[in-house]
Amino acid sequence: MKARAFSYHRAHSVDDAREAHARSGDDARYIAGGQSLVPALALRLQAPRILIDINHIEELRGVRCDGEWLRIGALTRHCEMLTDPLIAEFAPLLRAAAPFVAHPAIRNRGTLGGSVALADPASEFPAMMLALDAEIEIAGTSGRRRVRADDFFIDLFETAVGPGEIVTAILVPRFRCNQRICFDELARRRGDYALVGCGMLATCKDGLVETIRIAFFSVGNVPTRARSAEAVVSGARIDADRIVAAQAALDRDLAPPESDEVPPAMRLHLARVLLGRLLARMSEAA
Amino acid sequence: MSSEIDDAEEAVRVRFTVNGRKVACEVAPRDTLVDCLRNALELTGTHAGCEMGACGACLVQLDGRAVHGCLMFAVQADGARIDTIEGLSESGAIADLQAEFHRRNALQCGFCTPGMLINAHELLSRLTEPSRAAIRDALSGNFCRCTGYEAIVDAIAAVADARAAKASQEGSPG
């Protein structure tokens, strides 16, 4: 349970961190909150030669409005999701998801950028990037670029972030007064990984759902949008028939993998139950 | 390759403020904060349990917030303020929590207790009158294999009530 020996570099700018990474011959890991990385090092699932600490890079901090976007620095800690007034006002789905992320002491240290960059398919925040139509800002060799969440998650723990690149910020379209959110998850115990979880963002008009984005986690190798269920609900008033139709459509959206703990059929069933509950809540809010 | 590993094993000097005292020590980069506190500084009140962030026995305060001592490396804490169960005990900040844990048998073997107290201390600094559900939720990352948790929740709820009563007494005129 001890990490393999490594050397340590405390970076003070994104360029400094990226240069240290390049010098290592790409045998390095960036550490932000470290709440997933340190156990992986202790278990020797990972054994980099150099650990590059990005916690002291000032430009990765802070939450601010940037035109129609809310810009959330990659080092924003999970506990700040619960207390930051800008997040409460302009990204309430992240506020709603935050209490479900691990335990309080983990939330004091874990970061949004780290969670999104790791892309654990059982994590809350990566899936919420899909529901929010967020964009991920990445610093690479050719400067900064922004990748839509829909194009960011590629496969199990694989994202659009290339070797040596750093997630610098998350950009979320600012929440508007005609929008509604819902979030919930099913877990055996609070703070455990969810058996299945879901968050959604709807844009409403006159009691109708104009558009909706529904994202699931703990359902496969990547956080997954339920596009067929979205199509059933979009442009409609959510009633009991519509909810049943959306639940039936989940067959086409989700294909949970075989697992010893939760058989695929059970996970799909739980996803339907959760979708039904959340759409019922959404119908009251619309 | 071996020379690289030798480099990595080289000790690094770190300085931090532990329980109000400035200390410096030599650590290998891979030494976790909990190992540094226990081995180099001989502050053994912080317990190393699962060493992967699941059990909560190693909680310490880093710049005033509860964090797992096993989920960060000591070198990362360079320049930080760390408060351990020893410091919180000596300052009297958690004396009421400790007394209530004792009174209600909220500990048996005591292995989890330092982490429980640090977590409870942070909870009560954020919420003055937490519900039992909120207390249980806050403790979800702290394992106790002896008590069944009921007495721990009782103790924290009782201290919350007592502190709220004291605050309203002090706040009321006359």
Side-chain angles (χ1 to χ4, degrees):
Chain A
M1 295 302 293
K2 305 291 178 193
R4 200 187 75 175
F6 53 78
S7 54
Y8 173 84
H9 177 76
R10 182 178 284 196
H12 291 282
S13 71
V14 170
D15 289 344
D16 174 18
R18 293 197 52 252
E19 283 160 19
H21 200 287
R23 279 198 305 275
S24 77
D26 285 340
D27 189 5
R29 290 293 310 205
Y30 298 121
I31 184 165
Q35 303 299 283
S36 298
L37 179 58
V38 178
L41 296 173
L43 293 165
R44 302 205 179 192
L45 299 171
Q46 299 197 25
R49 205 159 62 81
I50 300 179
L51 199 63
I52 302 166
D53 192 343
I54 61 171
N55 279 284
H56 300 269
I57 302 179
E58 205 47 47
E59 63 182 298
L60 301 184
R61 288 182 191 285
V63 180
R64 60 182 160 84
C65 288
D66 185 359
E68 290 305 298
W69 298 84
L70 184 69
R71 182 189 172 85
I72 307 172
L75 279 179
T76 306
R77 313 239 176 230
H78 302 332
C79 59
E80 294 176 73
M81 300 293 153
L82 293 165
T83 54
D84 188 284
L86 289 175
I87 286 173
E89 186 172 357
F90 296 120
L93 187 57
L94 296 180
R95 168 70 184 77
F100 294 86
V101 179
H103 312 289
I106 305 266
R107 294 199 290 265
N108 282 344
R109 192 95 189 121
T111 68
L112 182 63
S115 175
V116 171
L118 178 66
D120 187 326
S123 284
E124 289 81 0
F125 289 139
M128 295 313 101
M129 299 297 110
L130 294 176
L132 290 166
D133 201 7
E135 296 187 3
I136 293 97
E137 186 186 83
I138 303 168
T141 36
S142 48
R144 307 270 167 118
R145 68 181 193 283
R146 281 164 67 162
V147 178
R148 282 187 67 182
D150 281 330
D151 303 319
F152 184 80
F153 302 103
I154 295 168
D155 206 335
L156 188 62
F157 297 115
E158 187 184 347
T159 68
V161 179
E165 295 189 323
I166 295 179
V167 170
T168 48
I170 304 299
L171 293 118
V172 177
R174 279 167 58 169
F175 187 71
R176 301 192 302 274
C177 59
N178 62 335
Q179 292 185 314
R180 303 287 178 268
I181 56 126
C182 271
F183 178 94
D184 210 346
E185 67 181 41
L186 301 173
R188 291 207 167 96
R189 293 176 309 173
R190 186 63 171 261
D192 275 6
Y193 281 114
L195 299 170
V196 60
C198 179
M200 54 181 72
L201 172 74
T203 304
C204 304
K205 193 180 179 188
D206 304 327
L208 294 183
V209 169
E210 277 191 324
T211 59
I212 190 166
R213 292 174 69 95
I214 302 172
F216 278 89
F217 53 97
S218 270
V219 290
N221 283 355
V222 285
T224 306
R225 269 179 74 190
R227 290 174 191 268
S228 305
E230 289 175 4
V232 168
V233 180
S234 293
R237 189 176 304 278
I238 301 176
D239 56 20
D241 290 342
R242 201 54 79 162
I243 292 175
V244 170
Q247 287 174 309
L250 272 190
D251 270 349
R252 300 196 292 279
D253 292 323
L254 307 179
E258 284 294 339
S259 115
D260 292 341
E261 242 181 73
V262 187
M266 176 179 161
R267 209 182 287 271
L268 190 58
H269 168 76
L270 293 175
R272 284 201 199 94
V273 169
L274 188 59
L275 181 66
R277 287 182 191 172
L278 289 176
L279 287 176
R281 273 190 235 162
M282 193 58 98
S283 72
E284 288 163 20
Chain B
M1 192 66 199
S2 65
S3 71
E4 286 159 1
I5 296 297
D6 292 346
D7 284 352
E9 287 287 14
E10 250 174 46
V12 182
R13 192 161 185 79
V14 295
R15 293 177 182 79
F16 26 59
T17 305
V18 179
N19 299 329
R21 292 180 204 97
K22 286 188 176 156
V23 298
C25 58
E26 306 273 325
V27 297
R30 66 165 164 169
D31 290 342
T32 58
L33 180 59
V34 62
D35 283 345
C36 173
L37 290 169
R38 290 179 55 85
N39 301 335
L41 302 176
E42 298 185 355
L43 292 167
T44 53
T46 306
H47 292 161
C50 68
E51 298 187 279
M52 52 190 290
C55 78
C58 67
L59 292 187
V60 296
Q61 285 192 333
L62 177 82
D63 294 324
R65 300 301 295 255
V67 302
H68 290 82
C70 74
L71 289 188
M72 64 184 294
F73 298 104
V75 63
Q76 291 188 277
D78 188 33
R81 179 169 57 86
I82 296 155
D83 293 285
T84 69
I85 191 66
E86 288 90 347
L88 292 173
S89 296
E90 283 165 24
S91 73
I94 56 169
D96 53 353
L97 272 168
Q98 289 168 310
E100 203 61 33
F101 267 58
H102 184 205
R103 201 169 75 78
R104 292 174 180 269
N105 289 323
L107 67 156
Q108 288 175 31
C109 85
F111 190 85
C112 71
T113 311
M116 288 285 180
L117 288 168
I118 283 178
N119 200 340
H121 182 50
E122 175 158 313
L123 173 70
L124 295 185
S125 68
R126 280 190 298 112
L127 292 176
T128 48
E129 289 175 82
S131 64
R132 288 183 76 83
I135 295 171
R136 285 194 167 277
D137 192 30
L139 294 181
S140 62
N142 289 73
F143 288 179
C144 172
R145 304 283 83 144
C146 303
T147 66
Y149 302 99
E150 206 59 32
I152 296 173
V153 177
D154 290 345
I156 296 168
V159 170
D161 288 346
R163 287 187 187 181
K166 188 157 174 261
S168 75
Q169 221 169 27
E170 283 169 0
S172 65

